[in-house]
Amino acid sequence: MPPLDPTSGVPLYLQVERSLRLRIDAGEWRPGEKLPTEGELGKAYGVSRVTVRQALARLVDRGALVREQGRGTFVRDTSLTAGARGVTSFSAELQVLGHTSGARVLEQVVVTAAEADLPPEMGLAPRDPLLRLRRLRTDGSRPVGVQTALLPITRFPGLADLDFADRSLYETLRSVFGVVPREAVETFTVGGVLDEDAPTLGVAPGAHAFYVERLTFDAAGPFEYVRSVMRGDRYRVRLALRDTH
């Protein structure tokens, strides 16, 4: 650990931030590992806890670290990073990344389109029945997100009676109903985890999360609307941008 230089003109908190970043990149702390406390780091660097707190806050803002209320500060696990987006399921997405997906059914009920608060693009009447399938999605045994899928019963008769505890929704749609997804529109926003989702996701209420809305189409039109809340410390999206001119 290189010593800090108070005479360099660079604020001490920036020097601490840079040093911690280099130590993280060098693998001194593994993804998911807890960092020393602010007091321990302050003693090691010879600076105040306030200085350390500033450095840690900047690393949290930059996505290198994650604070967990009552537990401490951890190196962010960036292994679950979605790259180029395709019209695939969560299970297929994790498989491409070399991970094992899992699901636990939280709710499986039939509701009306009015109760589901669907976008108008679905083209359903208020009283049309839908399957609402709410599942906890996991990476191995680690909670990643809660996904709520809404699908029209009239198009998929019998879908609501199937057991999705160990069944892929997209594979079922493909094998039983012949549905091949062709296009999807996703909208990402950032917010805090709601009180009702926090225990399921294993985080404190208000923890950073991605909120994702997805409308999926096949050759016949829109067939699925999904709302998801994904843990911000375990899920990232990386997009490749190209100049089309």
Side-chain angles (χ1 to χ4, degrees), residues 66-67 79-80 86 96 123 167 174 184 201-202 211 222 234 243 245:
V66 176
R67 290 190 189 275
S79 61
L80 185 52
V96 169
R167 184 194 296 263
R174 187 186 305 271
L201 290 173
Y211 282 87
R234 290 187 177 164
D243 186 356
H245 297 288

Side-chain angles (χ1 to χ4, degrees), residues 29 93-94 98 103 128 131 147 150 179 189 224 227 232:
W29 298 291
E93 188 176 2
L94 260 66
D128 285 348
L131 167 63
Q147 292 185 325
L150 296 150
V179 170
T189 56
E224 176 199 46
R227 298 188 189 96

Side-chain angles (χ1 to χ4, degrees), residues 72-136:
T73 304
F74 297 78
V75 177
R76 178 174 182 152
D77 186 352
T78 59
S79 61
L80 185 52
T81 301
R85 308 289 287 165
V87 189
T88 60
S89 65
F90 179 83
S91 301
E93 188 176 2
L94 260 66
Q95 185 176 3
V96 169
L97 296 171
H99 294 251
T100 302
S101 68
R104 175 162 61 90
V105 176
L106 304 174
E107 181 187 45
Q108 185 171 336
V109 296
V110 175
V111 298
T112 66
E115 292 172 314
D117 189 25
L118 291 174
E121 291 88 344
M122 286 293 287
L124 298 177
R127 300 174 74 95
D128 285 348
L130 293 154
L131 167 63
R132 183 166 67 199
L133 180 61
R134 186 168 177 263
R135 294 177 293 171
L136 171 66

Side-chain angles (χ1 to χ4, degrees), residues 223-235:
F223 68 87
E224 176 199 46
Y225 178 63
V226 182
R227 298 188 189 96
S228 304
V229 51
M230 312 296 284
R231 282 183 54 154
D233 61 334
R234 290 187 177 164
Y235 188 82

Side-chain angles (χ1 to χ4, degrees), residues 10 18 26 70 83 120 133 136-137 142 146 148 170 219-220 230 232 238:
V10 178
R18 184 181 306 156
L133 180 61
L136 171 66
R137 307 315 306 264
R142 304 187 314 161
V146 174
T148 303
Y170 267 34
M230 312 296 284
R238 181 172 57 226

Side-chain angles (χ1 to χ4, degrees), residues 42-219:
K43 185 175 180 180
Y45 281 107
V47 297
S48 69
R49 291 182 61 174
V50 172
T51 298
V52 172
R53 190 174 300 127
Q54 285 180 288
L56 293 176
R58 289 172 61 85
L59 289 169
V60 169
D61 289 342
R62 283 157 175 72
L65 300 176
V66 176
R67 290 190 189 275
E68 296 191 12
Q69 187 173 0
R71 296 190 62 218
T73 304
F74 297 78
V75 177
R76 178 174 182 152
D77 186 352
T78 59
S79 61
L80 185 52
T81 301
R85 308 289 287 165
V87 189
T88 60
S89 65
F90 179 83
S91 301
E93 188 176 2
L94 260 66
Q95 185 176 3
V96 169
L97 296 171
H99 294 251
T100 302
S101 68
R104 175 162 61 90
V105 176
L106 304 174
E107 181 187 45
Q108 185 171 336
V109 296
V110 175
V111 298
T112 66
E115 292 172 314
D117 189 25
L118 291 174
E121 291 88 344
M122 286 293 287
L124 298 177
R127 300 174 74 95
D128 285 348
L130 293 154
L131 167 63
R132 183 166 67 199
L133 180 61
R134 186 168 177 263
R135 294 177 293 171
L136 171 66
R137 307 315 306 264
T138 60
D139 172 17
S141 61
R142 304 187 314 161
V144 176
V146 174
Q147 292 185 325
T148 303
L150 296 150
L151 301 104
I153 295 295
T154 51
R155 180 159 183 199
F156 305 115
L159 185 67
D161 300 322
L162 299 178
D163 182 4
F164 285 96
D166 295 304
R167 184 194 296 263
S168 166
L169 174 60
Y170 267 34
E171 180 56 36
T172 300
L173 293 177
R174 187 186 305 271
S175 61
V176 178
F177 300 97
V179 170
V180 179
R182 301 179 70 177
E183 181 183 359
V185 178
E186 287 187 330
T187 303
F188 283 78
T189 56
V190 176
V193 175
L194 300 177
D195 291 352
E196 58 263 33
D197 290 324
T200 304
L201 290 173
V203 297
H208 292 170
F210 289 111
Y211 282 87
V212 190
E213 295 184 39
R214 171 168 168 158
L215 188 63
T216 314
F217 301 78
D218 71 347

